[in-house]
């Protein structure tokens, strides 16, 4: 019942959808990959909750066509709920060692 009421509210307020989408895109743009790889590679770190995250998501560049298949696999395969959103050729693990094939930033589809 709650879900149905939420859907009814959503349908009634559909005019706010573009505004919500714009806000979501703005939030993603500030934490997502850049147009090119940064000269300083991103590194895996633990956040305050203990989760492993990238320290500098904006350091990633785009996933090029040649790296897309490898990125899909790295992010959990074709049926996963995440996709490769960024790639850095010198991304580092938690110890500061570069991954031999680079690293991917994965984001929800």
């Amino acid at each position: 019942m709650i879900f149905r009421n939420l859907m009814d509210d959503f349908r009634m307020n559909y005019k706010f959808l573009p505004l919500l989408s714009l806000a979501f895109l703005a939030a993603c743009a500030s934490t997502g990959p850049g147009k090119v790889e940064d000269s300083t590679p991103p590194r895996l770190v633990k956040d305050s909750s203990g989760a492993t995250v990238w320290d500098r998501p904006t350091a990633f560049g785009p996933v090029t066509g040649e790296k897309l298949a490898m990125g899909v696999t790295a992010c959990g395969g074709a049926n996963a709920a995440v996709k490769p959103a960024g790639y850095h050729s010198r991304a580092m693990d938690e110890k500061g060692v570069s991954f031999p094939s680079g690293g991917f930033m994965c984001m929800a589809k």
Side-chain angles (χ1 to χ4, degrees):
M1 186 65 174
I2 292 172
F3 178 74
R4 184 173 177 187
N5 289 339
L6 289 174
M7 288 305 293
D8 290 341
D9 289 345
F10 176 77
R11 282 188 208 105
M12 290 173 35
N13 295 314
Y14 70 90
K15 62 186 171 186
F16 296 109
L17 185 60
L19 182 60
L20 291 174
S21 298
L22 183 59
F24 178 74
L25 289 173
C28 289
S30 64
T31 59
K35 293 182 181 188
V36 295
E37 284 187 7
D38 193 87
S39 59
T40 303
R43 182 177 178 173
L44 288 173
V45 296
K46 297 279 186 184
D47 68 6
S48 59
S49 69
T52 303
V53 297
W54 291 108
D55 66 343
R56 301 176 53 248
T58 56
F60 287 89
V63 180
T64 60
E66 60 196 34
K67 297 289 184 187
L68 184 59
M70 190 167 63
V72 168
T73 301
C75 291
N79 295 325
V82 293
K83 65 176 181 168
Y87 172 77
H88 198 288
S89 60
R90 296 179 292 118
M92 297 183 288
D93 65 15
E94 292 178 24
K95 296 177 184 175
V97 178
S98 293
F99 292 105
S101 299
F104 292 91
M105 183 177 69
C106 303
M107 296 180 84
K109 286 184 179 177

